[in-house]
């Protein structure tokens, strides 16, 4: 798998404060396929050695077939967790992720389901309990984004799709999981720094990401007395399949170079934030947002 995950410049060199220029590319499909991206995102830090922070825990990671979700799943596996990866229909990407997790000595259940349908969210949790007998961590990570020049270009169909995917399904997944979570469990939501800064050509997307922030904070208050922590990670520009599926080929070539660190993030760079929030390292954190955004200052 190494040739698939590290096909180009080494990850240490990626961390220099220099722009990374990508070849022009575009995928006419949402949310996109990782195996078609050039270069491939870096999902794993080879120097990351787990220390049992999630030993024998069970985690659901939605959108875990690729991008940030894949990186989180790999890091969780290195920390000793078994995984449930939920994805739409990106079967090749999902199979690669499962192979990596299995190679790390952990189990991985793949579920291809459309989480816009409430019943599928309950099916995910039912399959998790049937397979592993427990659930400790829920990572609501899946999402879509569509670029439109004006709010006038956002159709009702797109608006409903974005909200059903990016926030309503988070409610449904949480409701399905909650009866199986106990004190010490963790819910982690993926939002975006655009929830705070806004983005002119992704109005519906940023609205859902703002909703995730409020959802996280309110849910954390609701579940505090149960000992269940709820937090979120707010990525900045990150090289994932969402990018070639949402940006024009020309926009891809300069993607992420506007942040202070002058480059987009790689998925593996975000994964440790999720490990912290899922483990005892984050035992005094709830209702919080961790920013991993290349140095941009947001309020």
């Amino acid at each position: 798998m190494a040739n698939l995950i590290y096909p180009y410049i080494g990850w240490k060199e990626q961390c220099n404060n220099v722009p990374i220029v990508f070849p022009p590319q575009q995928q006419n499909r949402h949310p996109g396929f990782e195996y078609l991206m050039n270069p491939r995102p870096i999902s794993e830090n080879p120097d990351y050695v787990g220390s049992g922070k999630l030993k024998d825990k069970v985690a659901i990671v939605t959108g875990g077939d690729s991008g940030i979700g894949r990186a989180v799943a790999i890091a969780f596996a290195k920390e000793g967790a078994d995984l449930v990866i939920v994805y739409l229909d990106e079967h090749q990407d999902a199979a690669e992720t499962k192979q990596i997790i299995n190679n790390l000595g952990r189990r991985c259940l793949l579920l291809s389901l459309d989480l816009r349908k409430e019943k599928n969210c309950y099916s995910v949790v039912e399959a998790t309990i049937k397979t592993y007998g427990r659930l400790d961590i829920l990572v609501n990570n899946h999402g879509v984004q569509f670029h439109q020049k004006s709010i006038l270009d956002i159709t009702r169909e797109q608006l409903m799709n974005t909200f059903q995917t990016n926030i309503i399904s988070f409610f449904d997944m949480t409701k399905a999981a909650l009866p199986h979570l106990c004190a010490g469990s963790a819910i982690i939501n993926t939002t975006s720094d655009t929830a705070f800064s806004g983005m002119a050509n992704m109005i519906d997307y940023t609205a859902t990401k703002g909703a995730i922030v409020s959802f996280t904070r309110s849910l954390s208050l609701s579940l505090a007395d149960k000992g269940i922590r709820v937090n979120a990670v707010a990525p900045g520009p990150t090289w994932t399949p969402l990018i070639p599926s949402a940006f024009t080929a020309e926009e891809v070539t300069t993607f992420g170079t506007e942040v202070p660190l002058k480059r987009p993030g790689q998925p593996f760079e975000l994964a440790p934030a999720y490990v912290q929030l899922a483990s005892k390292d984050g035992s005094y954190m709830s209702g919080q947002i961790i920013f991993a955004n290349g140095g941009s200052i947001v309020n």
Side-chain angles (χ1 to χ4, degrees), residues 25-277:
Q25 58 197 283
Q26 189 174 36
Q27 297 183 28
N28 296 318
R29 172 248 191 238
H30 298 279
F33 294 108
E34 183 163 312
Y35 75 90
L36 294 178
M37 295 174 68
N38 176 32
R40 295 285 298 274
I42 303 177
S43 302
E44 180 183 359
N45 177 352
D47 291 343
Y48 184 107
V49 178
S51 56
K53 292 178 179 180
L54 302 176
K55 181 174 174 56
D56 296 329
K57 301 290 187 181
V58 173
I60 294 173
V61 181
T62 67
D65 58 292
S66 62
I68 294 169
R70 172 186 281 185
V72 171
I74 292 171
F76 280 12
K78 286 189 174 186
E79 293 293 351
D82 291 319
L83 278 301
V84 177
I85 300 298
V86 191
Y87 65 102
L88 186 58
D89 58 4
E90 303 86 353
H91 303 298
Q92 180 169 329
D93 287 341
E96 290 179 5
T97 303
K98 180 175 182 177
Q99 181 180 337
I100 297 169
I101 292 169
N102 289 161
N103 289 346
L104 291 169
R106 305 309 305 185
R107 294 177 290 172
C108 180
L109 173 65
L110 296 181
L111 297 173
S112 174
L113 291 166
D114 185 348
L115 296 180
R116 290 172 296 185
K117 299 178 180 179
E118 181 182 11
K119 66 178 182 179
N120 288 343
C121 297
Y122 284 87
S123 295
V124 169
V125 175
E126 290 169 4
T128 300
I129 299 303
K130 182 178 180 180
T131 302
Y132 296 121
R134 63 184 294 171
L135 174 60
D136 304 284
I137 304 158
L138 171 63
V139 180
N140 289 312
N141 169 73
H142 60 286
V144 293
Q145 60 178 227
F146 306 94
H147 285 208
Q148 299 290 359
K149 293 181 179 180
S150 167
I151 190 173
L152 299 176
D153 299 319
I154 299 174
T155 65
R156 184 71 174 183
E157 180 182 13
Q158 176 183 316
L159 181 67
M160 296 305 295
N161 182 21
T162 303
F163 271 79
Q164 287 174 340
T165 303
N166 291 7
I167 180 61
I168 294 174
S169 61
F170 282 30
F171 274 79
D172 293 336
M173 280 300 307
T174 301
K175 289 170 65 177
L178 193 55
H180 304 280
L181 300 177
C182 59
S185 296
I187 299 172
I188 308 169
N189 301 314
T190 299
T191 178
S192 169
D193 68 349
T194 62
F196 300 84
S197 62
M199 195 164 183
N201 60 356
M202 290 197 301
I203 296 174
D204 54 339
Y205 171 81
T206 56
T208 62
K209 293 303 179 176
I212 292 170
V213 171
S214 295
F215 173 63
T216 299
R217 290 172 171 168
S218 297
L219 187 64
S220 72
L221 297 175
S222 174
L223 299 181
D225 61 347
K226 299 182 184 298
I228 299 172
R229 297 179 297 104
V230 186
N231 294 285
V233 177
T238 308
W239 186 234
T240 75
L242 282 178
I243 306 312
S245 68
F247 287 71
T248 67
E250 292 71 25
E251 289 171 336
V252 167
T253 63
T254 58
F255 171 71
T257 56
E258 73 279 4
V259 301
L261 293 186
K262 304 300 183 185
R263 65 175 180 87
Q266 290 289 339
F268 82 89
E269 296 179 286
L270 279 65
Y274 290 81
V275 171
Q276 179 185 10
L277 296 176

